[in-house]
Amino acid sequence: MASTTRHVLVTGGAGYIGSHTVVELLATSETSSVKYIPVVVDNLANSCEESVQRVGELAKWDPLFHKVDLCDVEALREVFKLYSFHSVIHFAGLKAVGESVSMPLRYYQVNLISAMNLMQVMEEFNVVNIIFSSSATVYGTPQKLPLPEDHPVGDCTNPYGKTKFMIENFLTDECKAKSNLSAVILRYFNPVGAHSSGRIGEDPKGAPNNLMPYITQVAIGRRPHLSVFGNDYDTPDGTGVRDYVHVVDLAKGHVAALQLFERESPAGCVVYNIGTGRGYSVLEMVKAFQEASKMEIKYEIVGRRGGDVASVYGDTSKAARELGFTATKTLSDMCADSWRWQEMNPQGFNSS
């Protein structure tokens, strides 16, 4: 029986990673001495309220959801008046690498203002624990692989990565200035997969910016083919190599990080890579998905995409050592769960 209750604000909690993390928070509460009560805020710019409702069904949870844009500081302040938050998990923000290259101003405005508003209101209400959803994009072009947390950062190849790097710096400076503040920065790689129930998964609005949802939409017939951006990289098959991590593993990594806040002294600002520690190429992903789904994936080789690098995969030993977290799901799991979600929901959350 849980003896301690913690309200956790989950910004962007209706989104892909946020919704899966809410499920894991609620599942952990069933077996832990700490009961986490998630409160979701999301402006639904790239998500929908249906995902929150489905999480409620999966977890037997009466959703606490507020449609709020973090750029609206007054609306955010009203949410903080309703609950006594123990901690915040900050997912909300724009996240497409390619789009950020063509729309840099929008990315700087939305991502930076959101983060600053959030920290301002946290300070007003004396909330001192935050987990920040960062990205391996902050490493820029890798100087060595696998990427450790102490790899140089800031040489970002796209505006999306630069906003993540700026927010990391902001949190680091805040922790230096405020001795009671704890910030955990999770730099993760490429989330894929879906909940094994097939009830929640990745449902981008418009054309997908990430590989796996594009593959699944080709398989279900929503897209004619997959565009593979470049086959002339210095990789085994010439296509880009990435560290793909199952979204359920990633969600569990957030729960593991949240437990740092149960320690007596403030954590300060700490950084962890969350991934599998190995990379797969685009064509390896296509092959694995075809094997898992028994569907043919048509693809075409096109030119490189602005802002991309050849290979990115992380050293995840620090998270294993300090958080007790290791990703356990396989590439086959990632593909099978992605396909189950898409097959059960051909039009995403709008499926009848």
Side-chain angles (χ1 to χ4, degrees):
M1 179 67 67
S3 59
T4 305
T5 298
R6 307 289 199 199
H7 281 84
V8 180
L9 178 65
V10 185
T11 76
Y16 176 42
I17 305 170
S19 60
H20 286 81
T21 299
V22 171
V23 170
E24 294 305 318
L25 284 172
L26 294 165
T28 299
S29 297
E30 295 297 319
T31 58
S32 171
S33 61
V34 177
K35 179 180 181 181
Y36 295 115
I37 302 178
V39 178
V40 173
V41 297
D42 201 303
N43 68 356
L44 306 181
N46 193 37
S47 58
C48 65
E49 193 172 348
E50 174 67 16
S51 71
V52 181
Q53 299 304 319
R54 292 193 187 187
V55 167
E57 294 168 12
L58 286 171
K60 297 179 174 57
W61 167 65
D62 188 11
L64 300 174
F65 170 70
H66 301 270
K67 185 179 179 182
V68 168
D69 190 325
L70 297 191
C71 290
D72 183 348
V73 69
E74 291 298 333
L76 180 59
R77 191 173 283 118
E78 290 302 312
V79 175
F80 272 74
K81 290 178 181 178
L82 297 175
Y83 309 94
S84 178
F85 289 117
H86 169 262
S87 48
V88 174
I89 305 178
H90 181 40
F91 293 109
L94 301 176
K95 62 176 185 174
V97 169
E99 183 183 64
S100 78
V101 174
S102 61
M103 305 175 66
L105 177 60
R106 183 164 181 250
Y107 271 68
Y108 286 117
Q109 285 179 324
V110 171
N111 290 0
L112 299 183
I113 292 172
S114 294
M116 287 187 285
N117 283 350
L118 178 61
M119 291 301 294
Q120 175 187 332
V121 178
M122 283 178 61
E123 182 175 4
E124 291 173 10
F125 287 83
N126 196 33
V127 180
V128 296
N129 301 312
I130 182 169
I131 295 173
F132 174 54
S133 163
S134 191
S135 167
T137 310
V138 301
Y139 292 120
T141 302
Q143 297 178 11
K144 61 179 178 178
L145 292 171
L147 288 159
E149 286 88 350
D150 61 1
H151 183 284
V153 292
D155 185 25
C156 306
T157 58
N158 54 77
Y160 161 71
K162 291 176 183 176
T163 66
K164 293 293 189 183
F165 175 64
M166 290 177 180
I167 296 168
E168 285 195 11
N169 280 337
F170 170 47
L171 290 174
T172 300
D173 290 341
E174 281 287 287
C175 284
K176 289 177 181 177
K178 300 177 177 67
S179 61
N180 66 334
L181 183 63
S182 295
V184 179
I185 294 169
L186 299 184
R187 293 177 185 153
Y188 41 83
F189 291 77
N190 295 70
V192 295
H195 192 270
S196 59
S197 67
R199 292 289 289 157
I200 58 173
E202 187 169 11
D203 183 26
K205 294 185 178 180
N209 291 296
N210 297 325
L211 176 63
M212 185 60 83
Y214 214 108
I215 289 176
T216 64
Q217 289 189 14
V218 171
I220 206 70
R222 290 174 60 181
R223 308 282 169 187
H225 63 268
L226 170 71
S227 294
V228 178
F229 296 104
N231 66 345
D232 58 349
Y233 287 104
D234 184 17
T235 62
D237 63 19
T239 63
V241 169
R242 296 292 182 270
D243 186 337
Y244 295 94
V245 58
H246 198 293
V247 67
V248 172
D249 277 332
L250 180 56
K252 290 178 178 178
H254 286 79
V255 176
L258 196 61
Q259 292 167 358
L260 283 179
F261 302 144
E262 299 303 324
R263 299 176 182 177
E264 290 184 6
S265 58
C269 189
V270 290
V271 181
Y272 298 98
N273 286 335
I274 302 292
T276 62
R278 70 152 297 174
Y280 296 98
S281 74
V282 174
L283 294 185
E284 285 179 306
M285 294 295 288
V286 170
K287 180 180 178 182
F289 184 85
Q290 290 181 144
E291 291 174 352
S293 67
K294 311 303 180 188
M295 302 292 291
E296 179 186 3
I297 302 300
K298 296 180 180 179
Y299 65 87
E300 294 182 359
I301 305 296
V302 298
R304 292 186 181 189
R305 181 172 59 179
D308 279 347
V309 296
S311 297
V312 180
Y313 53 95
D315 179 347
T316 58
S317 60
K318 183 180 178 184
R321 185 172 62 252
E322 297 185 11
L323 299 180
F325 169 78
T326 302
T328 60
K329 291 187 177 291
T330 66
L331 178 59
S332 179
D333 294 331
M334 300 177 204
C335 294
D337 290 342
S338 293
W339 177 234
R340 184 181 302 107
W341 151 255
Q342 190 70 84
E343 192 174 31
M344 289 176 61
N345 305 271
Q347 301 298 321
F349 287 110
N350 291 324
S351 302
S352 58

